[in-house]
Amino acid sequence: MEQDKDLMEKIVSLCKRRGFIYPGSEIYGGMAGMYDFGPYGVELVNNIKASWWKENVQKNQNYFGLDSAMFKEPKVWEASGHIGGFSDPLSECRKCNTRIRVDKELERIGVSADEKMSEDDINKLFEENKSKIKCPKCGSSDFSPAKAFNLLVKSNMGDFTGEGKNPAYLPGEACQGIYLNFKNIVDTTRAKVPFGVAQIGKAFRNEISPRNFIFRTRELEQADTQYFVKPNENKDAYEKIKQNRFNWYVKMGIKPENLRFKQHENLVFYASDAWDIEYNFPWGFDEIEGIHDRTDYDLTQHMKYSGTNLEYTDPQTGEKYIPWILETSAGVGRMFLAFVSDAYTVDTLGGEERVVLKLSKQLAPIKAAIFPLLRNKPELVSKAREVYEMLREDLRVEWDDNGNIGKRYRRQDEIGTPYCIVVDFDTLGEEKPELKDTVTVRDRDTGTQERVKVSELVSFLKERLS
Ligand code: GAP
């Protein structure tokens, strides 16, 4: 993608102006790291999740879906390692108390660092480079040493003492529910290793510095798959899973040159290998999805902390083992931002410059918009209403009778609507009886128009939208 230094600003502005994303609690001045999906945003999110689900559950052999409760017995987060090791390095400006995330500030000045480094290692780098890091608020370079700051968010769910001694945590990652239900799924379905479980769920992280719009937020949604394999039978499956996930982004319209794999240099506590799929966001390549080889860490830990035997018995051989897990975990918000960034296009059509979201047709929030040519001609309006009522039985469509047709096209282009349907005088068949009950269908990307019979509209659109 051609890098446009104002691209991010343009995308944020379009998302707000056209009802995709609003700042959370905006009328109260907002809340850091929180965003609300508006009317078109929620349609796009739902379409991304539906396509992801279709690919990973419906079309994937031997995959099962799950929706586990967000709150979990607090010991789950001890077993998972989040209470002990899920932290980012935090430092405070000694002049104005602004908090910074040290690994990200180091990265910003070109020093390779990440949150998985030990406190000592990161402080060594921090000391060497402190003079080049400026407080984002007051510009000072006088910072406290970096300290590991735990990202789990606590709640008082079920704690009526008010003392917070045994807090229930909000999920730090969505996937834990899958591990807790491994045995249930084996016992109640015909799942045989290797098999996968998919879940889309919320996670919460006390991010020190939420940034880049919905890229790093404190409330997020993750679309996860966990594939249970026999110990040491991980390598081929891992490669296949990595490739499938990459291919899905391309299938859903992302330009392959804007995607790449990146292997982790420092591994998180649970992983033996980890790769990210990165997208070329307006600020450069950054992670959309993590693909982790988690070995037997998760089931072993939960077995130890819960006292429940989570070994799998091979039904053919009777062999017992703890399966290894291959994970894919993608942020729904990051997928959203990648799809919108990739689709954002400024081009010229009919001699006029326009902004158009060239989203894949499956992801587009609105599939078709229906316009009566003129809003003050009752016969056109009533025929267009008929068409609209018919289409909305099958498709997410929109009515628009406001302004000239050119303006209506521009409005739909900006939200990525693949087809605009105009009901005009020919539809009424007064002068040209051969065109009676036909409408003009205009294609978003090419601007070409064709005449389609109203009776064939549903199949015409469905064929092109699938
Ligand atoms: N269960 C594995 C796991 O949680 P992760 O790499 O921490 O791994 C997976 O997160 C994905 O979740 C990331 O690739 C990213 O898309 C998304 N994600 C993580 N933290 C995020 C945040 N603060 N805001 C938005 N998305 C986030």
Side-chain angles (χ1 to χ4, degrees):
M1 190 200 307
E2 192 188 317
Q3 290 290 345
D4 166 356
K5 67 181 171 42
D6 301 327
L7 182 59
M8 191 62 193
E9 235 170 76
K10 289 176 187 163
I11 289 170
V12 174
S13 153
L14 180 125
C15 281
K16 171 77 200 294
R17 192 163 39 81
R18 299 310 320 273
F20 281 89
I21 298 177
Y22 307 127
S25 310
E26 192 181 14
I27 62 168
Y28 285 92
M31 188 178 179
M34 294 295 160
Y35 290 91
D36 299 334
F37 288 106
Y40 295 124
V42 69
E43 299 288 348
L44 177 52
V45 164
N46 286 345
N47 293 342
I48 292 171
K49 291 198 280 192
S51 162
W52 183 93
W53 193 265
K54 186 171 179 188
E55 192 75 13
N56 290 286
V57 185
Q58 186 180 324
K59 287 169 65 176
N60 226 352
Q61 223 182 338
N62 226 12
Y63 270 69
F64 300 84
L66 183 77
D67 187 7
S68 63
M70 267 207 277
F71 284 102
K72 296 177 173 70
E73 159 60 41
K75 258 196 263 165
V76 167
W77 302 108
E78 259 179 69
S80 69
H82 283 78
I83 290 179
F86 185 51
S87 54
D88 283 342
L90 169 110
S91 164
E92 221 171 84
C93 168
R94 288 197 169 108
K95 292 244 158 68
C96 71
N97 300 338
T98 295
R99 295 183 181 105
I100 59 161
R101 192 172 147 182
V102 176
D103 56 325
K104 292 291 167 199
E105 293 302 325
L106 284 166
E107 264 180 16
R108 216 190 296 275
I109 57 162
V111 178
S112 167
D114 68 45
E115 77 281 9
K116 291 146 214 148
M117 296 172 96
S118 73
E119 219 170 77
D120 283 351
D121 287 347
I122 204 128
N123 268 315
K124 195 162 166 276
L125 283 180
F126 193 29
E127 271 311 312
E128 285 165 14
N129 294 285
K130 229 178 219 174
S131 59
K132 288 179 249 159
I133 297 174
K134 304 272 171 263
C135 168
K137 194 160 171 208
C138 72
S140 160
S141 291
D142 188 6
F143 293 106
S144 66
K147 270 205 158 51
F149 175 76
N150 192 285
L151 301 184
L152 278 182
V153 178
K154 289 176 190 166
S155 84
N156 67 349
M157 166 74 82
D159 174 11
F160 302 104
T161 64
E163 289 164 12
K165 286 199 177 131
N166 193 22
Y169 295 93
L170 283 132
E173 57 178 2
C175 60
Q176 290 298 324
I178 299 183
Y179 313 139
L180 304 188
N181 283 292
F182 165 72
K183 191 171 150 39
N184 277 337
I185 292 169
V186 170
D187 290 349
T188 57
T189 68
R190 292 166 63 217
K192 288 189 189 66
V193 171
F195 72 91
V197 181
Q199 170 170 275
I200 300 176
K202 289 261 181 164
F204 298 81
R205 298 180 177 183
N206 238 334
E207 295 285 355
I208 297 161
S209 42
R211 68 179 174 100
N212 286 341
F213 194 33
I214 58 167
F215 181 82
R216 188 175 302 288
T217 50
R218 291 186 175 143
E219 174 179 337
L220 56 131
E221 196 161 32
Q222 293 177 314
D224 288 342
T225 66
Q226 310 290 324
Y227 193 59
F228 297 89
V229 297
K230 205 172 163 182
N232 297 308
E233 293 192 356
N234 50 336
K235 291 288 174 231
D236 289 351
Y238 188 64
E239 284 315 311
K240 198 165 152 220
I241 286 170
K242 264 171 63 187
Q243 209 49 58
N244 286 348
R245 290 302 306 136
F246 191 98
N247 294 347
W248 177 76
Y249 288 104
V250 176
K251 189 165 99 182
M252 295 320 291
I254 293 200
K255 298 168 199 82
E257 64 271 24
N258 284 333
L259 289 166
R260 71 177 187 197
F261 281 118
K262 187 179 173 205
Q263 190 171 23
H264 287 206
E265 283 169 25
N266 295 303
L267 294 168
V268 277
F269 51 87
Y270 52 73
S272 78
D273 192 8
W275 290 72
D276 290 337
I277 295 179
E278 292 192 331
Y279 174 73
N280 190 13
F281 287 102
W283 60 90
F285 276 96
D286 220 331
E287 171 184 354
I288 14 177
E289 171 158 356
I291 302 169
H292 310 128
D293 187 339
R294 300 178 71 123
T295 66
D296 63 356
Y297 176 83
D298 305 282
L299 292 183
T300 305
Q301 286 293 100
H302 287 305
M303 200 159 136
K304 195 162 116 197
Y305 278 74
S306 68
T308 306
N309 186 2
L310 298 177
E311 276 178 322
Y312 174 77
T313 307
D314 187 307
Q316 247 97 53
T317 63
E319 187 189 351
K320 286 183 187 303
Y321 56 82
I322 297 173
W324 288 16
I325 293 172
L326 305 174
E327 167 182 73
T328 70
S329 184
V332 173
R334 290 192 192 180
M335 292 197 272
F336 182 111
L337 194 52
F339 283 119
V340 170
S341 304
D342 218 72
Y344 186 94
T345 311
V346 181
D347 65 10
T348 307
L349 191 69
E352 250 187 75
E353 192 174 270
R354 65 169 183 166
V355 172
V356 51
L357 273 194
K358 291 192 172 177
L359 288 166
S360 96
K361 290 171 184 170
Q362 287 110 301
L363 296 186
I366 301 294
K367 305 303 181 194
I370 294 96
F371 312 156
L373 181 67
L374 299 168
R375 73 193 297 192
N376 57 358
K377 294 281 175 211
E379 58 283 29
L380 286 179
V381 173
S382 102
K383 187 72 197 168
R385 275 269 159 206
E386 248 176 61
V387 173
Y388 170 66
E389 296 298 338
M390 174 188 80
L391 290 180
R392 75 190 183 131
E393 286 294 315
D394 290 284
L395 297 164
R396 186 74 182 87
V397 292
E398 190 166 273
W399 171 264
D400 190 356
D401 61 4
N402 195 6
N404 69 44
I405 291 286
K407 272 198 187 136
R408 289 185 245 173
Y409 284 152
R410 294 295 96 82
R411 274 204 290 273
Q412 296 300 329
D413 287 345
E414 265 197 336
I415 61 165
T417 305
Y419 296 104
C420 290
I421 296 164
V422 181
V423 170
D424 55 19
F425 289 105
D426 286 341
T427 315
L428 305 178
E430 283 166 6
E431 284 186 17
K432 297 181 189 156
E434 71 280 12
L435 293 181
K436 187 170 165 42
D437 285 326
T438 64
V439 286
T440 301
V441 180
R442 178 252 195 194
D443 181 284
R444 175 195 70 195
D445 298 337
T446 59
T448 51
Q449 303 187 358
E450 56 187 302
R451 220 58 215 177
V452 178
K453 285 186 183 151
V454 171
S455 59
E456 290 169 9
L457 253 185
V458 173
S459 55
F460 175 93
L461 291 173
K462 279 192 169 171
E463 221 170 83
R464 285 159 181 77
L465 290 166
S466 59

